[in-house]
Amino acid sequence: MRGALVWVGLIMVSLVAGCTAGPDPSGSTPTPTPTASSSPSPSSPGLTPTPSSPPSPSPSQSPTPSPTRAPAEVSARRMMADVERLAGDIGPREATSKAFYEAADLVERRFRELGFRTRRTEVKVPAGDSWGTPVRAGTSANVIADSPGLDPARDHVVIGAHLDTVARAPGAEDNASGIAVLLELARLAGLEPPDVPVRFVAFGAEEPRGDGDALHHFGSQQLVADLSAAERRAIRGMVSLDRVGVPAERVPVCRAGDRGADLQDQLLAAARSAKIRTRACEDRASDHWSYQKAGIPAARLGKIAYAGYHSPDDVPSVVDQDQLARAARIVWAWLGRS
């Protein structure tokens, strides 16, 4: 009887041993298979999501979209307001007059507000005849505004417009129109800096005080004469904005000589890209001529004939804001920002 009990005990031990999980002979740990209703859990390292069922990111993991700024656009309204301010409120701005310096202060303040580094250079002018009005000798000024970081001995471009008028003209078209476009381009460049640095210049004493080249373009002639050889070589192109507001079907794009041919072609191509009609021409009667004579590629936008030229009738109503916008868009496209 005792032997039978021992035998039964041995059988029970074998059965219990067979029902207890032991190490797999292959040495691997069996992996449970999840059911269709199971979902992966970060605390279960053995459950890796399959590529066809990626986990959804939590709201905190979603990327935050970056806000995009609308491209800077030319504002005809702003430019027309500047024409009104210069020609309507200030009026005639003979190069050595109190009114000229009032305009110079306004322009320099605007450049500074837009983030440009500014300076002035004095321009000595002789006595003479301002389109029929005797004028005394005196001092005018160039207002210069440089893009932040501009090195005048390294590649850059110059965009200019003359600030003065003949003695008897309010100068809406000649040349508040050019200054208005100059300030608008500076505003755009402050918002979207072009790849090439820009020097903006409001020239003093562009208007003649007698016949001949020596009695014309005093501000630009002096500014160019003061440039070093390295600074002259660094100017990739100079564009003068002079009488750019008279309504017309086309915008004149003028060169002063062969050296300006490539720049003229660039401006004409920029106009085509902006879908603006132009007219190629040759002209030396603006500040681009001072740069051209020094061997610097230069061109002029503007020069449409109008009845009020150099007269008291050159008032803001002469100027067309759509034509202002066309001139600005051509230069903006030339700067590569259209």
Side-chain angles (χ1 to χ4, degrees):
M1 181 65 176
R2 182 177 180 182
L5 290 174
V6 172
W7 182 79
V8 171
L10 290 174
I11 290 175
M12 293 298 292
V13 169
S14 297
L15 290 173
V16 172
C19 295
T20 303
D24 190 293
S26 64
S28 62
T29 302
T31 303
T33 303
T35 64
S37 61
S38 64
S39 59
S41 168
S43 62
S44 304
L47 300 180
T48 304
T50 62
S52 60
S53 302
S56 300
S58 65
S60 62
Q61 294 172 319
S62 300
T64 302
S66 300
T68 56
R69 181 191 298 173
E73 294 184 356
V74 169
S75 170
R77 179 185 58 79
R78 289 175 184 271
M79 289 185 286
M80 200 64 216
D82 285 332
V83 171
E84 294 277 0
R85 178 76 179 91
L86 290 167
D89 297 340
I90 297 177
R93 302 174 300 283
E94 187 275 319
T96 65
S97 67
K98 180 180 178 181
F100 172 86
Y101 278 96
E102 181 182 353
D105 289 343
L106 181 154
V107 169
E108 185 169 18
R109 182 167 63 250
R110 288 280 295 281
F111 280 139
R112 286 180 176 172
E113 289 170 353
L114 294 169
F116 292 87
R117 293 181 290 114
T118 66
R119 63 186 176 94
R120 293 192 193 188
T121 59
E122 288 191 348
V123 180
K124 299 294 184 181
V125 291
D129 180 274
S130 178
W131 215 257
T133 302
V135 287
R136 294 180 295 179
T139 303
S140 190
N142 294 320
V143 179
I144 303 165
D146 288 344
S147 298
L150 183 145
D151 179 348
R154 299 177 69 87
D155 282 358
H156 65 283
V157 298
V158 177
I159 302 173
H162 72 86
L163 184 57
D164 64 310
T165 70
V166 297
R168 63 183 188 146
E173 167 68 351
D174 190 14
N175 185 40
S177 66
I179 291 292
V181 173
L182 184 77
L183 290 172
E184 178 65 1
L185 289 167
R187 183 186 73 84
L188 296 173
L191 293 172
E192 292 184 11
D195 292 336
V196 59
V198 184
R199 168 170 284 177
F200 294 98
V201 185
F203 292 108
E206 185 270 350
E207 295 290 0
R209 299 173 92 81
D211 295 332
D213 210 38
L215 295 176
H216 203 179
H217 314 126
F218 296 97
S220 56
Q221 289 202 71
Q222 178 178 301
L223 193 59
V224 171
D226 290 343
L227 296 173
S228 68
E231 289 171 339
R232 292 187 187 195
R233 289 193 299 269
I235 299 175
R236 291 167 51 182
M238 185 276 178
V239 176
S240 177
L241 303 164
D242 195 346
R243 292 172 47 200
V244 293
V246 167
E249 293 184 355
R250 299 176 184 271
V251 176
V253 179
C254 307
R255 68 182 186 182
D258 291 341
R259 185 169 288 275
D262 287 345
L263 177 56
Q264 182 187 45
D265 288 344
Q266 292 171 22
L267 290 164
L268 292 171
R272 287 192 296 273
S273 73
K275 297 180 172 55
I276 296 171
R277 301 171 70 186
T278 56
R279 173 174 61 83
C281 48
E282 291 199 18
D283 173 78
R284 296 181 177 183
S286 190
D287 290 304
H288 67 303
W289 177 230
S290 300
Y291 287 79
Q292 174 73 46
K293 289 189 297 182
I296 299 167
R300 170 185 178 173
L301 261 65
K303 196 176 181 179
I304 299 290
Y306 68 111
Y309 177 65
H310 280 186
S311 83
D313 294 330
D314 187 4
V315 293
S317 60
V318 167
V319 175
D320 175 54
Q321 67 178 20
D322 291 337
Q323 189 75 347
L324 294 176
R326 293 183 192 106
R329 287 169 54 206
I330 289 173
V331 182
W332 191 233
W334 174 64
L335 291 172
R337 307 304 296 175
S338 61

